[in-house]
Amino acid sequence: MWAAYSQFTVRGVGRSFFTKWFAAVDDRASECDRALILDDRVFRSLNALGWSSREAAGTRRRPTRYATYVSTMHGWARELGTTADRLEWILFAVNGQVDGKGWSPTWARIRGADERTG
């Protein structure tokens, strides 16, 4: 994943879009830590929760930080008994509002969707 991230360069295409592309084309087996989307909404939620890709990876290098994000999300998902893509969707939906002002209504909508979809 690190190599793919570091070699992906398309003029005008930033992190948000190409991580969506990575997630869409990652065809590795489901037991692998598959690529996830890392857009501004997910980043905002992670930062609001006090998680920093730079601190977690111990470097400023974006490919290493992305690989650390993916492995961390998969680890958290296993601990929580869910999937990493579901966890990523929740962070996207919350959009950084984890301070109690926007968290409860957003979480209620997420919980409602879970109950409807099983």
Side-chain angles (χ1 to χ4, degrees):
M1 185 154 328
W2 182 91
Y5 188 106
S6 63
Q7 294 174 8
F8 189 93
T9 56
V10 175
R11 188 180 181 132
V13 175
R15 175 192 67 229
S16 295
F17 180 82
F18 74 77
T19 62
K20 289 174 185 160
W21 184 80
F22 283 164
V25 300
D26 189 347
D27 64 353
R28 292 177 296 161
S30 60
E31 59 272 359
C32 294
D33 286 356
R34 296 177 56 121
L36 298 167
I37 297 168
L38 181 57
D39 62 11
D40 291 339
R41 292 173 65 108
V42 173
F43 234 125
R44 196 172 297 120
S45 293
L46 289 167
N47 290 333
L49 292 167
W51 190 83
S52 163
S53 64
R54 183 176 172 188
E55 289 178 19
T59 183
R60 295 177 61 110
R61 295 183 44 87
R62 290 192 184 270
T64 303
R65 291 167 60 184
Y66 177 71
T68 300
Y69 156 73
V70 170
S71 65
T72 299
M73 290 285 282
H74 281 276
W76 287 342
R78 283 187 290 274
E79 289 177 24
L80 295 169
T82 191
T83 63
D85 59 333
R86 177 70 177 151
L87 187 55
E88 177 243 303
W89 181 85
I90 291 169
L91 292 173
F92 174 85
V94 170
N95 192 21
Q97 297 180 3
V98 297
D99 60 1
K101 296 177 184 169
W103 176 258
S104 296
T106 302
W107 184 249
R109 286 193 306 274
I110 293 166
R111 295 282 305 181
D114 280 348
E115 292 167 5
R116 288 190 298 275
T117 60

